[in-house]
Amino acid sequence: MSAQTLYDKLWNSHVVRQDEDGTALIYIDRQLVHEVTSPQAFEGLRLAHRRPWRIASMLAVPDHNVPTTNRSAGIADPVSRIQVETLDANCAEFGVTEFKMNDIRQGIVHVIGPEQGATLPGMTVVCGDSHTSTHGAFAALAHGIGTSEVEHVMATQCLVAKKSKSMEVRVEGILGHGVTAKDIALAVIGKIGTAGGTGYAIEFAGSAIRALSMEGRMTLCNMAIEAGARAGMIAVDDTTLDYLKGRPFAPQGDLWDKAVVQWRNLHSDQGAAFDAGVLLDAAEIRPQVTWGTSPEMVVAVDGCVPDPATLSADKREGAERALIYMGLSANTPITDIKIDKVFIGSCTNARIEDMRAAAAVIKGGKVTVKQAMVVPGSGLVKRQAEQEGLDRIFTDAGFEWREPGCSMCLAMNDDKLAAGERCASTSNRNFEGRQGQGGRTHLVSPEMAAAAAIAGHFVDVSKL
Amino acid sequence: MKKFTLLNGLVAPLDRANVDTDAIIPKQFLKSIKRSGFGPNAFDEWRYLDHGEPGMDNSNRPVNPDFVLNKPRYQGAQILLARENFGCGSSREHAPWALEDYGFRAIIAPSFADIFFNNCFKNGLLPIRLDAGKVEILFREVEANAGYKLAIDLEQQTIGAPDGTVYPFEVDAFRKHCLLNGLDDIGLTLQHVDEIAAFEARHHAAQPWL
């Protein structure tokens, strides 16, 4: 057999049937469920008198609407409350395992899946959420789907799909001090654009990727969708296996050993051909800051806000509109941009390593911005951070230490920006209104966000 | 699902690239547990001058007169003409639900984000990729001619312009079949129950930890 990419292997091992035009039925191993994109799917099942095909493949958690403070009082917004209660009721009715709002295991769906070992190498993983690409960090084929497809997977355990093209994003070399997986992600998006990966499944490879922790790999795969690729993935290695061993949903004993033998094959073969390739030198990547309203509008922290007049014609109008929305002038040094609020959290950057990295740059400093919040990705991340004393470092510096959830990444709960407020955020999207109508988002790494909270403006963490 | 066969519809131009699904339907409206009723809040932040929340009486809200869909000449539009990477961002199917509920049946753009593109077909909404040069011509035509309509024929895979130009387009055979006949994917997939069950048995025998 000819050399296969990791994507080929994952795809081929899940094809139930394939039609002549390339349309295939793909078997789905794991479906993660949250409250926002599932109610209509459950309702569809009910109306058609259908049952989920394989209940054990499903794992549910409320994350988008949950409050990040004072949970004992429940959810104040009645519309949000109904949505979470609807998830609870649907999971109870159909027998789906759910980590409810006050369960220690509750958290952002893309944090808890891997944390529980519910995401395993070789799996197909779907969820009604575009950041499902996160799970590809475990050499899984993982991508977001719409609610109709959520219902389709519930009812049939399959998805109707066509194979994507493949792209290899290779990052070679050693990242500099203060440069993280988030900066790799933003640098890649800056290079290929937010539509650069459309129609592709991306495999991240190279020595800089192999050197990343699982947390870093999840951050990177999480943002594959911001490059337009539904799926991002990384080959299995010891880092993957060390992370998963002993997790509640991971196989144990003999089964673990058997699984590892198969998982070791989950990499692209020598000489496997990709449809497209991108190469980055890790040493050249600087801490990144977005300046506009699309993740591709990004520069290095030691750069300046670009002058739209110097951009190509197709980018100029969008850049001009973005600068007006962002309240920024061309050629402003990034480190001169003053910040109102800081958000450290989201499915991109709310894992234990992100918490540690943010805490490490505080060094006794105090928050000088209006508000800085840290929202751990799960109850278990929160507990571990507290065991390590990180919560004290944050609260002593003036950060708010919150309960886990999606929070101000998309501002569906009460955590949001007011119009005109400028935020350094570790989340994944700087779209207009994403963090609150009129709010201005700059995407950065946890280190960059924490440093900005202390300084009141962006600082180059590679020089700290 | 609604069938899509022929559409002779008024065209509205949305002249900006990278229109994301947060813009198409802002997050506060995603709290609904229903599939319908999103139309009045499509493009909410661009369309109204105040801040929208679920449950508001949208008919009393101040509209933004500068937003293209609020212009009298585009009222009743069924075809949205858009730019590159339309529908990027979140996977929310509420975006096609909102566009369909607003009255659109087709979107023409040089490129679409993958998940949005896929979601459209599940909701009787036809996304058509046309190369950027042709889209540019259509933008000029629609802006120059009030009441500009296009005739979309899905069976023939053509867009007919008033000046007689015919633009052919590509569409997946399976998706075309489903749209033309208004077919529900789930019903079609369940015709293969035996194959799925056989695959599942083999798959789990080989990987008993799944």
Side-chain angles (χ1 to χ4, degrees):
Chain A
M1 187 183 280
S2 61
Q4 291 185 302
T5 63
L6 171 58
Y7 177 53
D8 291 333
K9 293 178 184 179
L10 293 169
W11 175 270
N12 293 341
S13 61
H14 288 86
V15 176
V16 173
R17 57 173 280 125
Q18 179 145 358
D19 291 332
E20 279 173 19
D21 75 339
T23 303
L25 263 190
I26 295 297
Y27 186 83
I28 301 302
D29 295 308
R30 174 71 68 203
Q31 172 152 230
L32 301 166
V33 175
H34 65 81
E35 78 277 20
V36 180
T37 56
S38 67
Q40 299 87 350
F42 281 114
E43 183 65 12
L45 286 187
R46 256 191 303 270
L47 290 173
H49 305 289
R50 288 175 176 138
R51 304 290 302 172
W53 180 287
R54 188 162 175 263
I55 295 283
S57 69
M58 295 168 68
L59 177 61
V61 71
D63 57 2
H64 286 60
N65 280 277
V66 298
T68 56
T69 53
N70 192 21
R71 288 227 171 130
S72 58
I75 304 175
D77 175 357
V79 195
S80 286
R81 190 171 64 239
I82 287 168
Q83 197 163 55
V84 172
E85 287 170 355
T86 302
L87 179 68
D88 294 347
N90 282 328
C91 290
E93 178 186 339
F94 290 99
V96 177
T97 301
E98 182 197 6
F99 299 160
K100 290 189 185 181
M101 188 169 81
N102 291 316
D103 190 314
I104 181 83
R105 299 167 297 176
Q106 181 270 342
I108 306 171
V109 68
H110 307 307
V111 174
I112 67 140
E115 186 174 76
Q116 292 294 322
T119 302
L120 294 172
M123 275 185 166
T124 43
V125 180
V126 294
C127 174
D129 192 287
S130 60
H131 291 110
T132 308
S133 58
T134 308
H135 307 266
F138 293 86
L141 176 56
H143 60 77
I145 55 177
T147 298
S148 294
E149 291 179 317
V150 169
E151 183 183 341
H152 190 280
V153 174
M154 285 177 181
T156 70
Q157 210 58 40
C158 291
L159 205 54
V160 178
K162 264 191 169 175
K163 197 175 174 190
S164 303
K165 291 177 284 184
S166 61
M167 179 187 289
E168 182 187 47
V169 173
R170 181 167 281 278
V171 189
E172 296 287 359
I174 296 170
L175 289 174
H177 170 71
V179 183
T180 69
K182 181 66 163 283
D183 302 301
I184 298 179
L186 289 169
V188 169
I189 295 162
K191 190 177 171 94
I192 70 173
T194 50
T198 302
Y200 290 92
I202 294 180
E203 180 177 348
F204 296 98
S207 56
I209 306 301
R210 286 196 299 277
L212 291 175
S213 65
M214 285 318 295
E215 286 85 351
R217 295 176 187 188
M218 284 189 261
T219 299
L220 186 56
C221 289
N222 174 277
M223 294 212 40
I225 184 65
E226 307 323 324
R230 289 175 71 173
M233 62 193 75
I234 294 173
V236 165
D237 62 9
D238 289 343
T239 305
T240 325
L241 301 175
D242 290 347
Y243 178 97
L244 285 172
K245 194 164 181 131
R247 304 247 167 206
F249 285 63
Q252 317 286 336
D254 282 355
L255 222 43
W256 169 264
D257 296 336
K258 274 185 193 153
V260 166
V261 171
Q262 292 193 26
W263 293 344
R264 288 278 186 196
N265 187 40
L266 293 171
H267 55 79
S268 289
D269 296 330
Q270 194 84 38
F274 291 85
D275 297 307
V278 176
L279 179 66
L280 278 86
D281 178 356
E284 284 181 7
I285 301 174
R286 308 270 306 125
Q288 305 281 304
V289 181
T290 64
W291 52 266
T293 53
S294 164
E296 70 186 24
M297 295 173 171
V298 65
V299 287
V301 63
D302 47 0
C304 293
V305 175
D307 182 348
T310 64
L311 299 177
S312 61
D314 59 318
K315 302 276 180 201
R316 199 172 302 146
E317 204 178 311
E320 283 167 357
R321 193 184 281 129
L323 290 192
I324 293 168
Y325 181 85
M326 294 296 289
L328 290 173
S329 311
N331 303 315
T332 305
I334 294 296
T335 49
D336 284 359
I337 298 174
K338 295 200 166 36
I339 302 301
D340 300 308
K341 290 190 173 176
V342 168
F343 171 63
I344 298 173
S346 87
C347 59
T348 312
N349 280 125
R351 299 182 181 84
I352 188 65
E353 184 180 272
D354 301 311
M355 303 288 113
R356 291 177 189 143
V361 300
I362 292 173
K363 293 179 182 155
K366 298 284 179 205
V367 168
T368 62
V369 297
K370 208 188 303 182
Q371 184 184 30
M373 59 168 96
V374 186
V375 183
S378 71
L380 292 170
V381 169
K382 181 169 187 265
R383 187 173 70 185
Q384 185 171 352
E386 288 169 354
Q387 284 166 353
E388 295 178 17
L390 303 180
D391 59 320
R392 290 297 304 277
I393 295 175
F394 287 121
T395 53
D396 287 352
F399 287 84
E400 297 170 19
W401 179 244
R402 300 276 191 122
E403 299 294 327
C406 300
S407 182
M408 207 163 71
C409 172
L410 88 166
M412 256 185 98
N413 67 353
D414 291 335
D415 309 339
K416 56 186 81 165
L417 298 179
E421 280 182 334
R422 186 180 300 287
C423 181
S425 178
T426 66
S427 56
N428 39 58
R429 289 188 177 132
N430 51 350
F431 299 157
E432 282 186 21
R434 172 79 178 181
Q435 295 192 292
Q437 191 167 5
R440 295 160 170 168
T441 303
H442 295 272
L443 303 176
V444 289
S445 69
E447 289 88 330
M448 285 287 294
I454 305 298
H457 56 84
F458 289 116
V459 279
D460 184 348
V461 294
S462 70
K463 298 199 174 123
L464 292 183
Chain B
M1 186 175 78
K2 260 192 218 168
K3 283 184 189 179
F4 189 112
T5 49
L6 295 164
L7 173 67
N8 186 21
L10 186 69
V11 184
L14 185 59
D15 192 4
R16 53 195 286 172
N18 298 314
V19 171
D20 58 75
T21 54
D22 276 80
I24 297 171
I25 184 81
K27 77 290 247 110
Q28 61 269 34
F29 305 106
L30 273 49
K31 296 176 186 179
S32 168
I33 57 171
K34 292 190 278 187
R35 250 186 134 98
S36 55
F38 295 99
N41 300 108
F43 300 108
D44 198 271
E45 290 186 6
W46 294 343
R47 191 164 155 199
Y48 301 100
L49 294 169
D50 64 346
H51 175 75
E53 282 293 332
M56 284 170 91
D57 178 0
N58 295 293
S59 62
N60 286 330
R61 295 175 58 197
V63 299
N64 174 6
D66 296 330
F67 181 55
V68 65
L69 295 184
N70 288 334
K71 308 245 184 232
R73 62 184 285 197
Y74 298 123
Q75 297 315 298
Q78 290 180 288
I79 300 171
L80 185 65
L81 186 63
R83 296 290 189 184
E84 288 80 6
N85 201 25
F86 189 84
C88 60
S90 152
S91 63
R92 61 189 69 168
E93 196 163 321
H94 312 67
W97 293 340
L99 294 171
E100 197 271 341
D101 196 49
Y102 180 92
F104 290 116
R105 295 299 315 279
I107 308 165
I108 302 171
S111 58
F112 294 87
D114 287 340
I115 302 178
F116 175 82
F117 187 76
N118 207 27
N119 284 340
C120 285
F121 285 99
K122 316 287 182 190
N123 294 285
L125 190 60
L126 175 64
I128 299 175
R129 289 192 194 111
L130 213 57
D131 66 51
K134 290 174 183 155
V135 168
E136 181 57 36
I137 292 170
L138 291 177
F139 263 97
R140 270 185 255 145
E141 291 286 314
V142 69
E143 277 155 18
N145 300 291
Y148 189 83
K149 286 187 165 187
L150 289 170
I152 298 173
D153 183 336
L154 177 57
E155 178 63 53
Q156 296 301 316
Q157 298 180 209
T158 57
I159 303 170
D163 65 2
T165 312
V166 174
Y167 302 93
F169 63 87
E170 295 295 317
V171 59
D172 236 47
F174 177 75
R175 285 164 161 162
K176 175 178 171 179
H177 173 71
C178 290
L179 263 188
L180 282 173
N181 298 291
L183 296 176
D184 156 28
D185 273 8
I186 295 178
L188 291 175
T189 298
L190 288 175
Q191 293 173 359
H192 306 298
V193 163
D194 294 344
E195 275 173 273
I196 300 170
F199 176 92
E200 186 171 56
R202 286 197 308 275
H203 191 64
H204 287 161
Q207 299 169 82
W209 54 87
L210 287 176

